[in-house]
Amino acid sequence: MTTAKKTTPPDIRAHNVMAVFQLLFPNAQLSRTDLTRKLGLSRMAVGEVAVEMQEHRIVREVGSLQPAGRGKPSPVIAIDTAYWRVISVDLSQEYVITGSLVDLCGRIVERAEMPQPRGKKALAVKDVVAFCRRLVGLAGSQDDPSEDSHAILGIGITMPGIIDPKGIVVRSVALGWTNVELKKQVEDALGIPTMLSNVTNAALIAERFLGESSENSMLISLRRGVGSSLCLNDQIVRGYTFTTGEIGHIIVDPQGPRCTCGKTGCLEALLAPSRIRQMIDDAPEKRTQILAQAGQVLGRVLSVSIGLLDVHDICVYGPADIVGEAFLGSMREEVHAIIHSEYRQVPELRRCEQGEDLAMRGQAVTVIRQFVPQIRQNIAG
C-alpha cells in the first residue's frame, strides 16, 4: 500500500517556482498579471515567488506593463541568463569529449573539447572528471565578484548506453564501461550535483523543450549506432531495465549483414550511417534507391510501436547526407501504408534540425528542470 506524503510549505514553494519557470522557459516574457492568470494563484503568491526568484537570480525584471484603465504597472519578468551556468558534457562522439557552459535558457555560452586517442579501448573516468573540472574553471568562482564569474547549478553528462536512475552506467559498449559509478565519482571529486542521461533521451529532451516535439513523441537516432527515445504524456520512458529505445540490436533480417554485437541482421547493421555510405560509395548511381530502402526498413520496423503507442510526432536525428527526403519520404510512406486507418492519424515525421549540440543542450535542460526548484534550499543549506 502506498502512503500519501504530506505536502510541506517548501514543497509548495518549489512547485510554484518551477511553475513560473516553465511558463518563461526558454525565452518568454510575462507580466506578474499574466502569471497570476495562467497559474491560478493569488497576486500575493505570485509576487512572493517572483521576488524570491529574482533574489536567487533565476528571473529578472525586463520592464513593466501598464494595465488598461486604472491600476499600477505590472512588472514583466524573464529568465535571468547572467548568473547561473550548467556544465553539460557529451561523451557520445568518437575521439573527442565535448562540453559547454549553458545558461538557464538552454543556450550554449562557451565550449570546450578534449581529444581522445584513436584505438583507445575504454574512456577513462579520470579524464571525464578532469574535463568537468576544466569547465568549472571556465565558469569561475561564485565567490568571485567579477562579472565574468558564474554560479554552477549542476553538471549533466550524456552518453550512449544503459544508465540507471542512481547515476550508474550499467553498460556502454561505445565507452567500454560496465557498472561505472560515474555520478558518484564526479560528485565526490567536484562537490557539484551531477545527472547522467542516455544520449538519445537527452536529444529528445532538447527537441521537446527547445524544438517542436510534442508531449507524445519519439526520436530516432542514426549516429554511431541506431537508437530511439520515447516521450509519453511528457515523461521520458526508461523501462524496467532502463533499456527503452535500445532498438539497434533487434534482429530484423536473419539473412542480413553481421553486426558488431556478433548477431546477424540487427537493425544497426542494416542502418548504421557508415554502412549506408559504403553502399552508396560502391554504387553511387543507386544512391536514391539505397536511401529509400533504408527509410522503408526503419518505417516497417517502427510501425508496430507507433501504432501501439499512438505518438503524435517522430523526429529523426542523423547526418544530413542520409536523413534527407529520399529516406524520410520512404519511411513516411511505409508507416502510412501499415498503420493508417479511418480512426488513426499517422504521426508527423520530420528531420531534426537542431544540429550537433542537440544532446548536449538537452542534457543541460534536464539539469535545469531538476535543480532550479532546489536553488532556494541549496542556498539555505
Side-chain angles (χ1 to χ4, degrees):
M1 186 174 100
T2 302
T3 304
K5 182 180 178 183
K6 183 178 179 181
T7 303
T8 64
D11 294 332
I12 296 172
R13 184 57 61 90
H15 172 80
N16 290 343
V17 166
M18 196 58 198
V20 171
F21 187 85
Q22 288 182 143
L23 286 176
L24 297 173
F25 186 84
N27 50 24
Q29 297 182 4
L30 295 172
S31 69
R32 290 191 190 178
T33 301
D34 292 331
L35 291 170
T36 299
R37 185 179 66 255
K38 290 176 180 291
L39 295 174
L41 299 174
S42 68
R43 292 171 58 187
M44 180 178 293
V46 170
E48 289 176 353
V49 171
V51 168
E52 179 183 303
M53 293 176 74
Q54 285 178 249
E55 291 175 349
H56 294 157
R57 305 290 297 273
I58 302 170
V59 301
R60 62 190 176 93
E61 286 192 10
V62 293
S64 60
L65 180 66
Q66 181 65 49
R70 298 181 178 181
K72 295 181 179 180
S74 178
V76 175
I77 63 175
I79 293 174
D80 189 340
T81 60
Y83 183 65
W84 292 100
R85 293 289 181 263
V86 171
I87 291 174
S88 188
V89 176
D90 183 359
L91 305 181
S92 69
Q93 300 186 48
E94 291 186 285
Y95 314 126
V96 65
I97 302 174
T98 59
S100 60
L101 298 180
V102 181
D103 66 22
L104 287 188
C105 286
R107 294 185 296 237
I108 293 174
V109 295
E110 195 155 359
R111 303 171 185 272
E113 292 185 352
M114 177 185 284
Q116 294 292 294
R118 292 175 180 266
K120 194 172 182 179
K121 289 187 177 180
L123 179 65
V125 172
K126 66 180 180 62
D127 288 344
V128 178
V129 172
F131 186 63
C132 290
R133 183 176 283 112
R134 176 180 162 194
L135 287 166
V136 171
L138 288 177
S141 169
Q142 63 190 69
D143 298 323
D144 185 345
S146 71
E147 292 184 0
D148 295 329
S149 187
H150 304 279
I152 299 171
L153 182 66
I155 296 172
I157 305 175
T158 184
M159 69 206 72
I162 302 167
I163 302 162
D164 81 359
K166 296 179 181 179
I168 298 173
V169 184
V170 178
R171 182 67 172 138
S172 176
V173 175
L175 302 181
W177 287 353
T178 301
N179 294 326
V180 174
E181 294 185 337
L182 183 61
K183 168 183 164 67
K184 182 178 185 301
Q185 293 187 57
V186 172
E187 289 182 340
D188 287 349
L190 302 178
I192 299 171
T194 301
M195 297 185 69
L196 310 186
S197 290
N198 170 274
V199 65
T200 312
N201 287 344
L204 182 53
I205 289 288
E207 273 293 313
R208 172 69 186 101
F209 293 102
L210 302 172
E212 299 178 8
S213 289
S214 72
E215 61 185 23
N216 290 286
S217 55
M218 180 184 291
L219 183 139
I220 310 301
S221 175
L222 305 177
R223 309 295 292 182
R224 290 175 72 174
V226 178
S228 66
S229 183
L230 179 65
C231 179
L232 292 180
N233 299 327
D234 238 357
Q235 296 292 323
I236 296 293
V237 180
R238 292 180 172 83
Y240 178 64
T241 58
F242 325 116
T243 57
T244 297
E246 294 288 335
I247 61 173
H249 299 291
I250 295 174
I251 295 175
V252 298
D253 180 5
Q255 307 304 316
R258 192 162 184 82
C259 183
T260 55
C261 73
K263 296 189 294 186
T264 299
C266 292
L267 184 64
E268 189 166 299
L270 293 169
L271 297 184
S274 58
R275 179 176 185 270
I276 294 175
R277 289 191 179 110
Q278 185 60 57
M279 292 173 65
I280 293 172
D281 289 343
D282 293 342
E285 73 282 0
K286 296 182 178 180
R287 181 179 185 277
T288 300
Q289 179 184 345
I290 291 168
L291 293 174
Q293 288 175 344
Q296 183 181 42
V297 168
L298 185 57
R300 186 184 311 126
V301 169
L302 291 177
S303 289
V304 173
S305 297
I306 293 168
L308 177 67
L309 299 170
D310 191 27
V311 295
H312 174 269
D313 52 278
I314 302 169
C315 181
V316 183
Y317 178 35
D321 62 319
I322 293 175
V323 185
E325 190 48 44
F327 183 100
L328 292 175
S330 181
M331 182 181 174
R332 189 179 294 113
E333 289 175 5
E334 188 71 8
V335 172
H336 187 278
I338 293 174
I339 74 168
H340 179 260
S341 69
E342 60 179 331
Y343 58 86
R344 180 181 294 281
Q345 179 180 351
V346 176
E348 298 175 9
L349 177 63
R350 68 183 186 282
R351 180 178 182 271
C352 176
E353 300 289 349
Q354 297 213 30
E356 294 296 323
D357 295 328
L358 181 66
M360 192 156 50
R361 293 182 71 202
Q363 185 61 8
V365 172
T366 300
V367 172
I368 289 168
R369 289 172 58 81
Q370 176 68 28
F371 293 138
V372 159
Q374 301 176 18
I375 287 176
R376 181 174 185 264
Q377 66 187 58
N378 290 342
I379 292 175

